[in-house]
Amino acid sequence: PEKQALHFSGWDYLTEWEKGRYGFRPETTRPAVKLLKDYRMDLVWGPLNIWPRGKFNAAQEYASAADEPDVTKFNTWVKEIWPGAHRYMINISGRNKDNKARIEGLLHEQDPAAFDKRVATWLQFWEKHVKSIGMDPQQFSLLIIDEPGLAEDDPYKEDESIKVWVEAIKKSGTCFRMWMDPVYQEPWNAYEPSIDAMDELCIKHAHVLGYGEKFVNYFKDRSKKQEMRLYECYPIVGGFDPYSYYRLQAWTAWDMNANGIGF
């Protein structure tokens, strides 16, 4: 089909060629994009440096154009590397070792109003720029913290930080989407207003297969009001078997009312 109903994601971060991430280099990036497009990949990923935060003044604003974020790498990403993607996913890197929300060194707990203002200044700048180049803010999805619930000893330790970021993004008044890949074994015990706020939820395929009926039904119920996706980054059985690792995920997505899969 001209546009697929089942979207395909990979954590490509192709703007990171200067670091040699996944073996990509400047001379191999564009051939790699062509290959991935041939495989119908249309949900693409960028790191925080795609949306630099600029330099804030005491009022948590940009005092001059020189203080505003540099849009060069972003423009290359959307215009040259991945033009026409279904959606652009941006990891805004909210995770910290101390599990406290901060933006450019400013801790939310020290000055909540300044934190919210700084987030708004940043996101409003990028919304204005996105519109100025003819794109829709709804094409962009923000990941606050990757795989919340990953710490088995304290799976909900990042919930407060996620809550702070979710509320600040909402207060900014921008139209960007929010995306979460929760790995809680018992997501109903997490801070659910943050999960409710997500436009898109992406669930680990192995967890759907292994965490039982209550877990599956929890997310099936959510698929009625939130976009649902699946992903996997480790083989489920016997290496990267094409049936369990690749094909089965697409069928599981169909069963879960999900519209995307990722690897």
Side-chain angles (χ1 to χ4, degrees):
E2 184 178 335
K3 291 184 178 181
Q4 67 259 40
L6 182 66
H7 300 289
F8 168 32
S9 173
W11 281 264
D12 55 297
Y13 293 113
L14 283 179
T15 56
E16 297 291 86
W17 60 75
E18 70 273 16
K19 298 178 182 177
R21 187 163 186 166
Y22 303 141
F24 290 119
R25 299 182 303 278
E27 65 270 22
T28 62
T29 296
R30 282 166 179 76
V33 170
K34 182 181 184 305
L35 177 66
L36 291 169
K37 284 183 175 180
D38 287 345
Y39 279 96
R40 313 296 293 188
M41 186 165 139
D42 65 345
L43 302 172
V44 302
W45 278 89
L48 176 61
N49 63 22
I50 280 289
W51 274 9
R53 290 171 172 163
K55 183 179 179 181
F56 301 98
N57 63 14
Q60 315 308 334
E61 297 173 340
Y62 302 129
S64 68
D67 296 322
E68 293 177 348
D70 184 350
V71 302
T72 305
K73 182 172 280 193
F74 172 81
N75 288 349
T76 299
W77 186 46
V78 297
K79 292 181 179 180
E80 299 179 29
I81 300 178
W82 280 117
H86 174 68
R87 198 158 288 155
Y88 297 86
M89 326 293 291
I90 300 176
N91 185 344
I92 65 172
S93 301
R95 170 172 280 136
N96 299 296
K97 290 181 180 179
D98 58 7
N99 302 313
K100 294 180 179 179
R102 58 166 54 80
I103 176 170
E104 298 299 288
L106 175 65
L107 277 171
H108 174 268
E109 65 180 27
Q110 292 176 338
D111 193 337
F115 178 92
D116 290 346
K117 175 63 175 176
R118 189 171 284 196
V119 170
T121 295
W122 173 52
L123 292 182
Q124 288 166 6
F125 170 87
W126 281 107
E127 182 174 67
K128 182 179 179 181
H129 178 72
V130 162
K131 290 179 177 179
S132 76
I133 60 172
M135 299 185 75
D136 184 346
Q138 286 277 296
Q139 289 178 265
F140 296 87
S141 300
L142 309 183
L143 165 62
I144 297 168
I145 289 179
D146 187 35
E147 294 189 327
L150 191 61
E152 292 183 6
D153 59 328
D154 189 4
Y156 311 111
K157 67 181 183 179
E158 294 169 321
D159 283 15
E160 178 61 27
S161 184
I162 295 171
K163 171 180 177 288
V164 165
W165 271 101
V166 165
E167 291 176 352
I169 291 169
K170 286 183 175 180
K171 290 175 186 175
S172 76
T174 55
C175 296
F176 300 119
R177 301 169 68 83
M178 286 187 280
W179 184 100
M180 180 190 281
D181 53 347
V183 293
Y184 310 106
Q185 289 194 31
E186 298 179 338
W188 45 87
N189 290 328
Y191 183 70
E192 286 203 293
S194 290
I195 302 177
D196 293 339
M198 295 298 132
D199 299 283
E200 304 158 46
L201 293 170
C202 193
I203 313 306
K204 195 168 171 63
H205 186 208
H207 295 177
V208 173
L209 299 183
Y211 280 0
E213 186 177 6
K214 182 178 180 180
F215 181 92
V216 169
N217 288 339
Y218 176 86
F219 286 108
K220 273 191 174 181
D221 287 343
R222 286 186 168 277
S223 72
K224 299 169 186 175
K225 57 184 179 180
Q226 292 166 284
E227 272 196 70
M228 197 64 55
R229 303 220 179 96
L230 297 178
Y231 78 102
E232 191 51 71
C233 40
Y234 300 105
I236 297 171
V237 294
F240 288 88
D241 171 69
Y243 297 99
S244 67
Y245 188 76
Y246 295 106
R247 286 193 170 184
L248 183 59
Q249 189 179 155
W251 285 107
T252 307
W254 177 78
D255 183 61
M256 292 288 294
N257 303 316
N259 70 359
I261 53 178
F263 303 92

